[in-house]
Amino acid sequence: MPTDAPSGATTPVPASDAGAQAGAGGRRAALIINPIKATTADVEGAVRRISTEDGWDEPLIIETTQDDPGHGQAREALDAGVDLVIAAGGDGTVRCVAEELSGSGTMMALVPLGTGNLLARNLDIAVDDPDAAVEAAFRGTERTIDVVHLIVDHAQDAHVFLVMAGIGYDAAIMSDTRDDLKDKVGWLAYVDAGIRNLPGKPARTTISIDGGQPFERRLRSVMGGNCGKIMGGLEIFPGARIDDGLMDLMTIAPKGKLGWLAVVGKLFARGKGKDPSLEYFQCRTAEVTLRDPLDVQLDGDPLGKATHMSFEVRPDSLRLRMPLGYKDPAVVSDPLP
């Protein structure tokens, strides 16, 4: 289970000082927004208003497209030399923008407009109040967080994820969730997909942790987590921290007709106990190999099928704004008073 490690967090900036610091030197924000995400809030208007109130320059507004969900827009914002990039959309938009900003030194913030909003839920960013999220983007506290690089099937280029990625049952849920049901009942649509995908056979899997001796398991799912919470407040990586330089790896291996009950029981027991149906490992790198291809997901986005995943934590890679106030120590390693 997770252990304490040095934090990459920086000193918080009080809200009263944020506007004054922002206005110095003609600072500018970029809003990268997914226009498909329906909302009654005027996110663009809120960004323009707070930019004016805090003395920032006119913001750069860029919409994502079906062909480019955020990569090109983030590069455009970086080329423009902005000081803050706000990703407004679902988990896919957030992940694509973060992939480009990671390692750049440019500040990122997010306005959650999707169904899952996984990173926002872990960082206490309002998932049902876009105006509050925009205010936190400009006036919140700064943190430096880890990202995890993932190479799928020995590809040349790596993907980045911020919350979790997996292969097997968890990814099958994401790829099998009905969009029409998501529009009607939100994140409960994932529960429907989860129930429909409960039947299935375990896959023979080989795992290596931090370059160590490989070991074999027969598993339904393998997941790497950078932080722990998913929809409904369930913490599937108990105590995982987003700034400790480590990743939590979870394996799921239900046995028999009642095997899933053991998995759920250990989840609610925060991973305690010796039941092998659910195991946790902590590492900086991990390699997962399967004999047969299974579904893959990154931060809730389906990525097709694969037989190999290589994980590597990149500590302190992304500067991020989040709301001022107390932070759960399971999220960041130095909670605010």
Side-chain angles (χ1 to χ4, degrees), residues 91-267:
D91 292 315
T93 302
V94 171
R95 186 179 62 79
C96 290
V97 172
E99 195 164 294
E100 300 298 330
L101 264 59
S102 176
S104 71
T106 299
M107 184 79 68
M108 179 177 170
L110 53 146
V111 177
L113 301 178
T115 303
N117 301 314
L118 296 177
L119 184 61
R121 294 178 191 277
N122 278 275
L123 300 180
D124 296 336
I125 295 172
V127 298
D128 53 2
D129 189 346
D131 286 340
V134 171
E135 183 169 353
F138 284 91
R139 299 167 179 171
T141 184
E142 174 186 341
R143 299 280 173 167
T144 305
I145 68 168
D146 308 332
V147 302
V148 185
H149 284 228
L150 176 67
I151 296 176
V152 178
D153 278 349
H154 306 283
Q156 183 175 358
D157 296 324
H159 297 279
V160 159
F161 70 88
L162 303 169
V163 181
M164 60 190 69
I167 187 167
Y169 173 70
D170 63 292
I173 292 174
M174 301 305 170
S175 63
D176 200 27
T177 298
R178 293 165 44 194
D179 288 337
D180 62 326
L181 197 59
K182 281 178 24 177
D183 292 338
K184 293 178 181 177
V185 299
W187 64 266
L188 290 174
Y190 296 108
V191 177
D192 167 73
I195 294 172
R196 287 188 284 107
N197 282 276
L198 280 176
K201 295 181 179 180
R204 189 167 294 178
T205 309
T206 302
I207 300 174
S208 176
I209 303 293
D210 286 333
Q213 184 68 28
F215 57 90
E216 289 193 355
R217 296 285 193 275
R218 292 182 64 83
L219 304 171
R220 287 295 306 277
S221 183
V222 182
M223 299 176 65
N226 195 31
C227 48
K229 296 178 183 177
I230 58 172
M231 290 79 73
L234 180 62
E235 190 175 6
I236 65 171
F237 293 98
R241 294 174 178 174
I242 203 168
D243 64 349
D244 62 357
L246 298 170
M247 181 188 77
D248 291 78
L249 194 76
M250 179 177 70
T251 63
I252 300 177
K255 295 184 183 297
K257 295 182 179 180
L258 300 179
W260 284 108
L261 294 178
V263 171
V264 172
K266 195 166 182 180
L267 277 175

